[in-house]
Amino acid sequence: DIKYHRIRFCRELARKNLKKMQKKLKKGFPDNLFLAAEELLPGYVVCPLKNLPSEVTAILSREDQAIGYNDNLPQKRQRFGIAHEIGHALLDHPQIIHDPFDIKDSIIEAEANSFASEFLVPLKTLKKTSQYIRHPVELAEHFLVTEEFMWNRFKEAQLFNQIF
Protein backbone atom coordinates (compact mmCIF):
# COMPACT_ATOMS: atom_id res chain seq x y z
CA ASP A 1 0.00 0.00 0.00
CA ILE A 2 1.62 3.24 -1.23
CA LYS A 3 0.06 5.43 1.48
CA TYR A 4 1.50 3.21 4.24
CA HIS A 5 4.97 3.34 2.66
CA ARG A 6 4.85 7.14 2.27
CA ILE A 7 3.77 7.61 5.89
CA ARG A 8 6.53 5.25 7.02
CA PHE A 9 9.02 7.22 4.91
CA CYS A 10 7.89 10.47 6.58
CA ARG A 11 8.37 9.02 10.06
CA GLU A 12 11.80 7.69 9.13
CA LEU A 13 12.73 11.12 7.79
CA ALA A 14 11.70 12.63 11.13
CA ARG A 15 13.85 10.09 13.01
CA LYS A 16 16.81 10.72 10.69
CA ASN A 17 16.60 14.47 11.31
CA LEU A 18 16.18 13.99 15.04
CA LYS A 19 19.34 11.89 14.99
CA LYS A 20 21.16 14.78 13.24
CA MET A 21 20.19 16.98 16.18
CA GLN A 22 20.80 14.36 18.86
CA LYS A 23 23.38 16.36 20.82
CA LYS A 24 20.94 19.27 21.13
CA LEU A 25 17.98 17.15 22.26
CA LYS A 26 18.38 17.12 26.03
CA LYS A 27 14.91 15.61 26.54
CA GLY A 28 14.92 13.26 23.52
CA PHE A 29 12.62 15.51 21.49
CA PRO A 30 12.92 19.06 20.10
CA ASP A 31 11.65 21.31 22.87
CA ASN A 32 12.83 24.39 20.93
CA LEU A 33 11.49 24.33 17.38
CA PHE A 34 13.17 27.61 16.49
CA LEU A 35 16.56 25.95 17.00
CA ALA A 36 15.36 22.79 15.24
CA ALA A 37 14.29 24.76 12.17
CA GLU A 38 17.58 26.68 12.20
CA GLU A 39 19.51 23.40 12.37
CA LEU A 40 17.53 21.48 9.74
CA LEU A 41 16.70 24.35 7.36
CA PRO A 42 19.81 26.55 7.23
CA GLY A 43 18.96 30.10 6.24
CA TYR A 44 15.29 29.79 7.24
CA VAL A 45 13.70 31.92 9.94
CA VAL A 46 10.69 31.14 12.09
CA CYS A 47 8.60 34.18 12.86
CA PRO A 48 5.25 35.04 14.45
CA LEU A 49 2.38 36.25 12.26
CA LYS A 50 -0.44 38.17 13.92
CA ASN A 51 -3.06 38.28 11.16
CA LEU A 52 -3.48 34.63 10.20
CA PRO A 53 -7.00 33.19 10.40
CA SER A 54 -7.47 30.93 13.44
CA GLU A 55 -7.68 27.79 11.28
CA VAL A 56 -4.18 28.45 9.89
CA THR A 57 -1.53 27.26 12.34
CA ALA A 58 1.58 28.04 10.27
CA ILE A 59 2.73 28.66 6.71
CA LEU A 60 5.89 27.95 4.75
CA SER A 61 7.44 30.35 2.25
CA ARG A 62 10.37 28.85 0.38
CA GLU A 63 10.85 32.11 -1.50
CA ASP A 64 11.37 34.01 1.76
CA GLN A 65 12.97 31.01 3.50
CA ALA A 66 10.54 31.44 6.35
CA ILE A 67 8.04 29.60 8.47
CA GLY A 68 5.41 31.90 9.86
CA TYR A 69 3.29 30.68 12.76
CA ASN A 70 -0.01 31.99 14.07
CA ASP A 71 0.94 34.10 17.07
CA ASN A 72 -2.67 34.14 18.29
CA LEU A 73 -2.79 30.39 18.95
CA PRO A 74 -1.62 28.52 22.08
CA GLN A 75 2.07 27.56 22.05
CA LYS A 76 1.33 23.83 21.78
CA ARG A 77 -0.65 24.38 18.56
CA GLN A 78 2.09 26.64 17.24
CA ARG A 79 4.65 23.89 17.85
CA PHE A 80 2.68 21.42 15.76
CA GLY A 81 2.30 23.97 12.96
CA ILE A 82 6.03 24.71 12.89
CA ALA A 83 6.94 20.99 12.90
CA HIS A 84 4.38 20.38 10.15
CA GLU A 85 5.95 23.11 7.98
CA ILE A 86 9.46 21.78 8.66
CA GLY A 87 8.09 18.48 7.36
CA HIS A 88 6.79 20.11 4.17
CA ALA A 89 10.19 21.71 3.57
CA LEU A 90 12.22 18.55 4.23
CA LEU A 91 9.83 16.43 2.18
CA ASP A 92 10.25 18.95 -0.64
CA HIS A 93 6.50 19.23 -1.06
CA PRO A 94 5.29 21.67 -3.70
CA GLN A 95 4.31 25.08 -2.38
CA ILE A 96 0.53 25.08 -2.66
CA ILE A 97 -2.48 26.60 -1.04
CA HIS A 98 -4.27 23.83 0.83
CA ASP A 99 -7.42 22.56 -0.88
CA PRO A 100 -9.20 20.01 1.35
CA PHE A 101 -11.07 18.63 -1.69
CA ASP A 102 -7.90 17.80 -3.66
CA ILE A 103 -6.78 14.21 -2.94
CA LYS A 104 -3.11 14.95 -3.77
CA ASP A 105 -3.20 17.86 -1.34
CA SER A 106 -4.67 15.73 1.45
CA ILE A 107 -1.89 13.14 0.94
CA ILE A 108 0.73 15.90 1.21
CA GLU A 109 -0.90 17.16 4.40
CA ALA A 110 -1.04 13.63 5.86
CA GLU A 111 2.68 13.23 5.13
CA ALA A 112 3.56 16.51 6.85
CA ASN A 113 1.36 15.49 9.81
CA SER A 114 3.15 12.13 10.06
CA PHE A 115 6.51 13.87 10.01
CA ALA A 116 5.39 16.35 12.70
CA SER A 117 3.95 13.60 14.86
CA GLU A 118 7.17 11.58 14.94
CA PHE A 119 9.32 14.71 15.18
CA LEU A 120 7.50 16.20 18.18
CA VAL A 121 6.94 12.92 20.02
CA PRO A 122 9.43 10.32 18.78
CA LEU A 123 8.07 6.81 19.30
CA LYS A 124 11.26 5.58 20.99
CA THR A 125 11.25 8.51 23.44
CA LEU A 126 7.50 8.16 24.02
CA LYS A 127 7.85 4.47 24.92
CA LYS A 128 10.71 5.21 27.32
CA THR A 129 8.98 8.20 28.91
CA SER A 130 5.65 6.39 29.27
CA GLN A 131 7.32 3.94 31.64
CA TYR A 132 7.42 6.64 34.32
CA ILE A 133 4.80 9.13 33.10
CA ARG A 134 1.80 6.89 32.51
CA HIS A 135 -1.11 9.12 31.53
CA PRO A 136 -1.39 10.77 28.09
CA VAL A 137 -2.49 14.08 29.64
CA GLU A 138 0.73 14.26 31.71
CA LEU A 139 2.75 13.11 28.70
CA ALA A 140 1.22 15.93 26.65
CA GLU A 141 2.57 18.41 29.21
CA HIS A 142 5.98 16.74 29.14
CA PHE A 143 6.24 16.79 25.33
CA LEU A 144 4.69 20.27 25.00
CA VAL A 145 1.83 19.09 22.77
CA THR A 146 -1.94 19.26 23.11
CA GLU A 147 -3.86 16.54 24.93
CA GLU A 148 -5.73 15.73 21.70
CA PHE A 149 -2.42 15.28 19.88
CA MET A 150 -1.11 12.94 22.59
CA TRP A 151 -4.26 10.79 22.60
CA ASN A 152 -3.94 10.47 18.81
CA ARG A 153 -0.23 9.66 19.11
CA PHE A 154 -1.01 6.90 21.62
CA LYS A 155 -3.63 5.50 19.27
CA GLU A 156 -1.37 5.49 16.20
CA ALA A 157 1.55 4.09 18.19
CA GLN A 158 -0.71 1.39 19.68
CA LEU A 159 0.44 2.18 23.22
CA PHE A 160 -2.87 2.04 25.08
CA ASN A 161 -1.97 -1.37 26.54
CA GLN A 162 0.97 0.31 28.32
CA ILE A 163 -1.24 2.63 30.33
CA PHE A 164 -4.48 0.74 30.85
Side-chain angles (χ1 to χ4, degrees):
D1 175 65
I2 189 82
K3 184 180 175 189
Y4 169 78
H5 290 292
R6 287 295 303 168
I7 296 301
R8 197 166 135 204
F9 171 80
C10 296
R11 290 184 179 141
E12 287 171 7
L13 182 66
R15 286 191 279 274
K16 179 180 150 191
N17 280 282
L18 286 166
K19 194 171 188 171
K20 257 193 226 179
M21 301 174 47
Q22 197 166 17
K23 290 181 177 136
K24 296 180 181 181
L25 300 178
K26 294 175 180 77
K27 297 180 179 180
F29 68 95
D31 55 342
N32 185 328
L33 288 180
F34 300 101
L35 292 177
E38 193 176 281
E39 177 89 12
L40 300 176
L41 302 170
Y44 273 70
V45 294
V46 178
C47 53
L49 298 175
K50 298 234 180 265
N51 298 321
L52 287 177
S54 62
E55 65 273 8
V56 177
T57 310
I59 58 173
L60 171 70
S61 173
R62 285 193 176 85
E63 187 178 292
D64 299 317
Q65 290 194 303
I67 294 173
Y69 63 91
N70 191 333
D71 199 32
N72 298 316
L73 295 176
Q75 182 188 23
K76 291 175 181 180
R77 294 238 356 253
Q78 292 171 356
R79 285 176 49 76
F80 182 82
I82 294 167
H84 177 94
E85 298 305 330
I86 290 170
H88 278 311
L90 293 175
L91 288 159
D92 203 26
H93 284 156
Q95 183 121 13
I96 54 174
I97 303 299
H98 179 61
D99 177 0
F101 301 107
D102 182 342
I103 190 70
K104 288 183 299 211
D105 196 11
S106 64
I107 291 167
I108 287 171
E109 292 304 311
E111 289 178 359
N113 285 344
S114 293
F115 175 91
S117 181
E118 183 65 27
F119 193 70
L120 291 174
V121 182
L123 182 58
K124 186 177 176 182
T125 305
L126 176 58
K127 284 181 175 180
K128 192 160 72 173
T129 307
S130 67
Q131 291 174 0
Y132 61 91
I133 301 176
R134 308 285 294 169
H135 200 278
V137 172
E138 294 169 22
L139 284 163
E141 279 302 311
H142 175 79
F143 283 99
L144 308 170
V145 295
T146 65
E147 290 177 20
E148 178 185 16
F149 174 93
M150 187 56 73
W151 283 106
N152 287 331
R153 186 73 174 117
F154 256 69
K155 181 181 174 188
E156 73 183 14
Q158 301 174 340
L159 291 175
F160 282 111
N161 61 343
Q162 279 194 271
I163 58 166
F164 297 113

